[in-house]
Structure formats: structure tokens, C-alpha cells
Amino acid sequence: MTKALLLVLALLPVQAGEDAPLVIKGARLIPVSGPDLATGTLVLRRGKIEALGRDVEIPWDARVIDGTKKVVMPGYVEVHGFRGMDRTNERIPSVPFVSTFDAINPVDPAFQEALRQGITTLGIHPGNETLIGGQSCVVRPVGVTTESMIVARNVALKISLNPRPGMSRMAHMAALRRELQEAAEAAKVAADKKDAEPDPRREPLLRALKGQLPVFIYCPTA
């Protein structure tokens, strides 16, 4: 019989005021960053690992879980995905000002499925059918509001090299060059006019051009 697999959601948020530590005792521990422990103890406090090892002192106020015949390991990270959003793509080809934060549906069944798969952190990106799809967020698949799920908001700008329906790759790349050039020219004009406000619709793209915002590029073919 296959051993039961217990995925420790060590980075998941805990309820406010829940200061009592959680202890998993007697399990096989796979810390990934170090050697496996055939039998060990893991202490978690407020969602973070406090101690891990064979001879770990168990706090007096801890809630102890018997991990005998179970395996404890960190959760997986899904770096690029679209699950859990009401809408993955925009009709306008260039929308650097939008954010997936506004499209995440916390009660989407996809987040429960992610937990069942052992995924504890997800990068939620715009879809691959929008040239410049907007900004991505990192979330945990648990919570009743987007605010309670969020790990980091607007962490990267998504650019897709996948041509939109009815457009060739050459035309798609030409459109991308045009967007980048127009953004760079707008930034230069704003710099020359010290009292000029940058266009908020292009502001994330300007930060990307300056190296201040990472860019996540989807490229379907070599």
C-alpha cells in the first residue's frame, strides 16, 4: 500500500490570533534544501517553519499531529498558469495597465484542485492570446477574498509571442515593436517635460523598459 502523502502548507495564511504552534511528529521529512529525515519533527508557527529535525523540542502549547507512516514535504509552486480567473485574455491587444488581481475568483474550484495536487503557490498570469496582457500576481490557493490569497501583487508584465487569431507572426512582432517604441518615446517626452505626468496606461510598460518590472514572456515556438 502506498504511504499517505501529507503536504505541509507551511506558507499558507493562518487565522488571526492563532499563535499556537503546529507540530507534525514522527513523519518522514523531505526538506528539499537538505537531506531527508526518516523520522523527524516539524514545528510551524503562524504559517512559517520554526524548527525541523530529529531531536526538536515540542512547545508546551503546540497542537501535535501524528505523522507516523506519512511523508511531509513542501508544497509545489506553479510558476505560470491562468487557473482561477474569470477572464484570461483581453480583446485589446495591449493592456499593460490591467492586473490579474481584478480577475481572480477566490471560490473557483481550480484553487481546491490545486491544493489536492499539492500546489501551495501559484503565479496567475494573463492568457497567451493578448500581446501585452497586463501584470501578474502570486497567490496561495486558499482564502475567501483575493486580498487574503495574495502573496505579491503585480510582480511581472506578461508579453505573449503567440500571434492573435488571424495575425501572422511577422505582424505580431511588428505590433510588439511598435508598442515598445511608442512607450519609449512617451517616456522621453515625459522626461523632457518635467511637469508632464506619465500615461498611466503605459506606466507598467515604462517600468519594464527601465528594468524596474520583470517581464514574463510566453514563446510557443523556437
Side-chain angles (χ1 to χ4, degrees), residues 5 46 64 78 83 85-86 93 97 112 115 117 135-136 153 171 184 186 192 195 197 199 213 216:
L5 177 65
R46 297 197 66 81
V64 180
E78 182 174 282
R83 65 167 106 190
M85 285 197 293
D86 291 329
F97 52 88
Q112 293 182 0
L115 283 177
Q117 294 171 348
Q135 299 166 84
S136 312
R153 184 171 176 173
D192 293 340
D195 57 342
E197 292 291 333
D199 185 349
L213 179 65
F216 195 104

Side-chain angles (χ1 to χ4, degrees), residues 5-174:
L5 177 65
L6 178 62
L7 292 168
V8 178
L9 311 184
L11 298 180
L12 294 182
V14 294
Q15 298 297 322
E18 198 173 291
D19 292 319
L22 172 66
V23 172
I24 302 176
K25 182 181 179 181
R28 177 189 173 191
L29 303 181
I30 304 179
V32 178
S33 59
D36 295 3
L37 297 177
T39 304
T41 299
L42 180 69
V43 180
L44 306 170
R45 189 186 297 271
R46 297 197 66 81
K48 294 186 178 181
I49 296 176
E50 188 174 271
L52 181 153
R54 291 188 176 87
D55 300 314
V56 174
E57 182 178 352
I58 299 177
W60 66 271
D61 59 342
R63 180 164 67 94
V64 180
I65 295 176
D66 183 10
T68 304
K69 296 184 179 180
K70 291 181 171 59
V71 178
V72 179
M73 61 184 293
Y76 297 109
V77 176
E78 182 174 282
V79 178
H80 178 253
F82 324 108
R83 65 167 106 190
M85 285 197 293
D86 291 329
R87 184 174 182 175
T88 57
N89 292 282
E90 298 290 335
R91 294 181 180 179
I92 302 173
S94 179
V95 285
F97 52 88
V98 303
S99 171
T100 56
F101 180 88
D102 299 312
I104 293 172
N105 179 11
V107 297
D108 193 300
F111 292 120
Q112 293 182 0
E113 179 64 23
L115 283 177
R116 284 194 291 268
Q117 294 171 348
I119 299 170
T120 58
T121 308
L122 300 95
I124 308 294
H125 301 265
N128 296 329
E129 295 181 7
T130 307
L131 175 62
I132 301 178
Q135 299 166 84
S136 312
C137 295
V138 178
V139 302
R140 300 181 181 95
V142 63
V144 295
T145 65
T146 307
E147 287 81 1
S148 64
M149 299 171 64
I150 201 73
V151 175
R153 184 171 176 173
N154 300 342
V155 296
L157 184 67
K158 172 69 177 286
I159 292 179
S160 176
L161 302 185
N162 184 40
R164 293 168 67 85
M167 178 178 284
S168 67
R169 283 197 290 175
M170 184 181 296
H172 186 81
M173 294 305 296

